[in-house]
Amino acid sequence: MSTSTDRDEPAAPAAGQSTGQHTQSGSCCGVSACCTDAEQPVASGAALLQAKTEAGCGCVADHDGEDALPVLVIGAGPVGLAAAAHLAERGLDFRVLEAGPQVGAAISEWGHVRLFSPWRYNTDAAARRLLAPTGWTAPDPGHLPTGAELVRDYLVPLADVPELAGRIHTGTRVLAVTRQGIDATRTIDRDQHPLLVRTIDSAGTVRDLTARAVIDASGTWGHRNPLGHSGLPAIGEDQAAPYLAGPLPDVLGRDRDRFAGRRTLVVGMGHSAANTLLALAELAEQAPGTRISWAVRAASVARLYGGGDADGLPARGALGTRLKQAVEAGAIDLVRSFTITRFTVPESGPDEPGPVTVTGGTRDGERTIAADTVVAATGFRPDLEMLREIRLDLDPATEAPAELAPMIDPNLHSCGTVPPHGERDLAHPETGFYMAGMKSYGRAPTFLMATGYEQVRSIAAALAGDREAADTVQLDLPETGVCSTGTVTEDQPIGAEATAAEPAVEESPSSCCGSSDQAPQPVAIGVGAPAGVGFATGRVHGYSGGVERGEG
C-alpha cells in the first residue's frame, strides 16, 4: 500500500471557467457589490464565479488557497451526481469520489427491485439540463424503473456529460474526513485549514485530498442495523454471518439457488422485507419445498400493509396488499412480537447441510425458528466512523443533523409529513461539511430521492454565495405526494383489474392526507407550508401513530 498527498493533481477546470487577463474595475466584474457578501450576478441566471470569470474580474485571479480548492462529493449515486450537476452549473470546481467500480454501484446491488416512484420524480433538474444537449432521451415519466434501469438510463449517461466526465473517480473509497494539520480538538484558526479527505483506491494507494467543502452523499447501504434487540447484535450473530443475506437478495434471479427448496426467515417490517417476501412466495410456487417465515418485533404489521388503494404511492400500496394476501393464504408464516436473542449455528458449520437456529422471545415465551438463510431487512444506519475527526452536530436519536432531525424523527413523522429542507438545516459546526441524501437522514427510514435533490441544490447555491437561492427550498409534487402513477399494473395482485389510484384518505382529524374528486395537481411545497403537507403515505404520525393504533 502506498501513500501520497494529492495537492499537485488538480481537478479539471470547472464547468464554464475560462482563463485570461483579469482587471479590477467596477463594471467589469460581472456582478454587483463585487467581493462582498451581497454580490449578485448582473446577468440573470448566471453563476457568480462564472459571471466574474467571463467578465475578467481580478477577484477571480486572486482566488488561491482554500477558495481555489475543489468541492469533494462522496458517492456517485443519484444524490451525489445531482450535487455534481448543480456544482457544475454554478461554475464550481469539484470531484466525485465513488467506492464502487461504477456510478450507482450500491443501486446495482438491488437492480432487480422496482422503485415505488415513477421516473418523473427520480431525476434531478440540473442533471436533466446537462443531459439535454447530449441527445439523451428522458424515460417515460410515468414508468416505475428498476434499480438497474435507474443506473443504465440515467446515472451512466449523466456521468458521461462533458461537465462531469473526468471528475468522477470510481474505485476510490473514503477512509476519513478531517481538517488538514489539525484534529477535532483544535479550535484556534480551525476554518483557516482546508478540509482533508483520505482515500484508498482499488490498487491500495492512499491519497490525501484537500477541499474547500465536502458533501457526503455516500448513503447508508452496507451498514445495516443488527438483528438482535436493543440496537445490539444478537448472541452468536457474528458466527451466523454465513447464513445471513442482505435486505434485497435477487431471489428469482442471481440468488435463486440459495433459496429454492430451502427454508428462509425474513426479519424486518419495511418495504425491503416486503419485496423479498413476495419474491420468495413466487419462488415457492415454482420450487417445491421452499418455506418462508417472517419475523417482526411488532404485534401488528398494519403499518407495512399500509393504506392499500389509499396509499399515496400506488405501487407501494399494492405491495402491502399483496403481502397481506400471501400471509392470509398461508404462503408466509408470520411470527409477531419476535425479539431475536440468539443464533445457534450447526456444529458442522456452513459448508455442511443444516440450518441455523434463531431463538427469540415472544409474548407466549421463547420460540425457535430453523432457517437455511436469514434475510436481514432491519434497516440501515450511517457510517460515522470516517467522520470522527470533524465536528458534527447530530441528533442523539436519529444520528441526523440536529436541525433536520425534528423534521424526520420516525417517532413523529412518516415521509408524508417531512417538509423540504436545505443548506441551513444540513450545516454542521465544521464549516463546509454537509451530509446529504440518505445519510443525512441517519437512522430515519423516511428518505425520498426528490428530497435529496433539493438538499444538494441548496448546498451548491450556498457554496456559490447565492444565499437567496439556498434558502428558497421547495418541492413540486402532486397533492397526494410523489404518488401519481395513474394505475397499478404489474404490482397489483394477480388477477386483479388495474384501477385508478385514489387520493390517500385518513379519517383522523390530524391527517396529512386529504381527499379529492380530481386528479392530483402539482403543488409547490416549501418552507412555511402548513404542518402536515408533504409526501402522502396513507399512514400518519410515524411510530407514535403505530402505538396509538396498537401496532406495537
Side-chain angles (χ1 to χ4, degrees):
M1 182 169 69
S2 60
T3 62
S4 67
T5 300
D6 195 359
R7 289 196 56 89
D8 52 0
E9 189 181 319
Q17 281 192 346
S18 60
T19 58
Q21 300 299 314
H22 302 283
T23 61
Q24 212 167 13
S25 60
S27 61
C28 298
C29 291
V31 300
S32 60
C34 185
C35 298
T36 73
D37 291 339
E39 65 180 9
Q40 292 293 330
V42 173
S44 176
L48 281 170
L49 181 59
Q50 183 174 354
K52 294 171 76 170
T53 301
E54 291 176 351
C57 177
C59 298
V60 177
D62 293 338
H63 273 199
D64 51 17
E66 185 172 342
D67 285 345
L69 295 172
V71 178
L72 294 183
V73 180
I74 306 174
V79 175
L81 291 188
H86 283 281
L87 292 167
E89 283 199 327
R90 292 276 179 178
L92 300 178
D93 195 7
F94 67 90
R95 300 185 195 181
V96 181
L97 310 175
E98 167 58 44
Q102 65 169 33
V103 297
I107 294 176
S108 296
E109 294 189 32
W110 49 268
H112 57 288
V113 176
R114 194 169 297 279
L115 279 68
F116 294 128
S117 53
W119 269 114
R120 66 169 61 93
Y121 302 114
N122 295 328
T123 61
D124 172 74
R128 293 193 299 270
R129 290 191 292 268
L130 295 184
L131 282 163
T134 69
W136 176 72
T137 301
D140 176 0
H143 176 66
L144 301 174
T146 63
E149 290 170 339
L150 183 68
V151 174
R152 182 194 67 202
D153 299 336
Y154 173 56
L155 297 183
V156 169
L158 178 58
D160 288 338
V161 301
E163 294 84 353
L164 271 62
R167 299 171 178 276
I168 301 171
H169 302 264
T170 57
T172 304
R173 180 175 298 279
V174 171
L175 300 176
V177 182
T178 184
R179 286 275 177 191
Q180 187 177 47
I182 58 175
D183 63 17
T185 66
R186 171 74 176 268
T187 299
I188 299 174
D189 295 331
R190 185 170 188 83
D191 288 350
Q192 302 305 309
H193 297 256
L195 288 162
L196 182 145
V197 177
R198 175 161 292 179
T199 68
I200 184 170
D201 64 20
S202 55
T205 300
V206 175
R207 290 186 173 88
D208 289 339
L209 311 175
T210 49
R212 62 166 292 203
V214 173
I215 302 173
D216 184 355
S218 58
T220 58
W221 182 261
H223 301 279
R224 67 167 178 85
N225 290 319
L227 287 161
H229 63 82
S230 308
L232 301 175
I235 297 170
E237 185 171 334
D238 290 344
Q239 290 74 25
Y243 297 88
L244 305 183
L248 288 168
D250 190 358
V251 171
L252 298 172
R254 178 189 62 230
D255 304 317
R256 189 181 191 277
D257 290 346
R258 184 172 185 178
F259 299 96
R262 297 176 181 271
R263 293 165 289 186
T264 300
L265 170 63
V266 178
V267 182
M269 202 171 75
H271 296 106
S272 295
N275 271 299
T276 299
L277 287 163
L278 289 172
L280 286 166
E282 183 175 342
L283 179 62
E285 295 177 356
Q286 307 167 8
T290 302
R291 285 174 282 174
I292 312 158
S293 297
W294 175 24
V296 298
R297 294 174 185 159
S300 168
V301 292
R303 178 161 53 88
L304 182 53
Y305 288 164
D309 291 340
D311 195 303
L313 288 163
R316 182 176 57 199
L319 186 78
T321 299
R322 292 172 59 198
L323 181 59
K324 182 178 181 180
Q325 291 174 341
V327 171
E328 292 176 346
I332 298 170
D333 177 25
L334 172 59
V335 184
R336 306 169 191 267
S337 302
F338 188 77
T339 302
I340 297 176
T341 57
R342 184 171 64 257
F343 286 86
T344 305
V345 301
E347 292 183 3
S348 56
D351 295 331
E352 298 294 332
V356 63
T357 301
V358 183
T359 303
T362 71
R363 292 184 177 181
D364 298 323
E366 190 173 83
R367 174 171 175 174
T368 61
I369 302 173
D372 297 295
T373 298
V374 178
V375 175
T378 50
F380 300 94
R381 58 182 62 182
D383 176 16
L384 300 176
E385 183 61 28
M386 70 179 187
L387 306 178
R388 287 181 59 84
E389 292 303 326
I390 59 173
R391 295 181 176 184
L392 303 176
D393 184 12
L394 298 177
D395 175 69
T398 61
E399 296 182 341
E403 293 296 319
L404 173 61
M407 307 181 202
I408 63 173
D409 186 342
N411 292 285
L412 303 173
H413 295 282
S414 70
C415 51
T417 58
V418 175
H421 43 273
E423 185 267 347
R424 290 191 189 274
D425 304 306
L426 299 166
H428 290 276
E430 197 71 73
T431 304
F433 177 81
Y434 304 94
M435 288 192 290
M438 186 68 203
K439 190 166 185 176
S440 72
Y441 272 46
R443 298 193 188 193
T446 50
F447 177 76
L448 289 170
M449 208 178 300
T451 305
Y453 293 157
E454 181 63 3
Q455 288 179 340
V456 295
R457 183 208 61 78
S458 176
I459 293 170
L463 292 174
D466 190 347
R467 192 70 257 170
E468 181 179 358
D471 290 341
T472 305
V473 290
Q474 62 180 23
L475 294 171
D476 292 322
L477 303 167
E479 286 183 2
T480 53
V482 53
C483 61
S484 293
T485 60
T487 61
V488 180
T489 53
E490 69 268 27
D491 292 304
Q492 277 199 314
I494 297 173
E497 294 183 3
T499 57
E502 295 294 328
V505 179
E506 182 75 29
E507 294 182 357
S508 166
S510 58
S511 167
C512 68
C513 312
S515 61
S516 172
D517 294 328
Q518 300 178 352
Q521 300 297 317
V523 294
I525 302 173
V527 168
V533 175
F535 294 95
T537 63
R539 310 297 287 180
V540 294
H541 302 317
Y543 295 157
S544 63
V547 172
E548 291 173 4
R549 293 185 293 268
E551 295 171 12

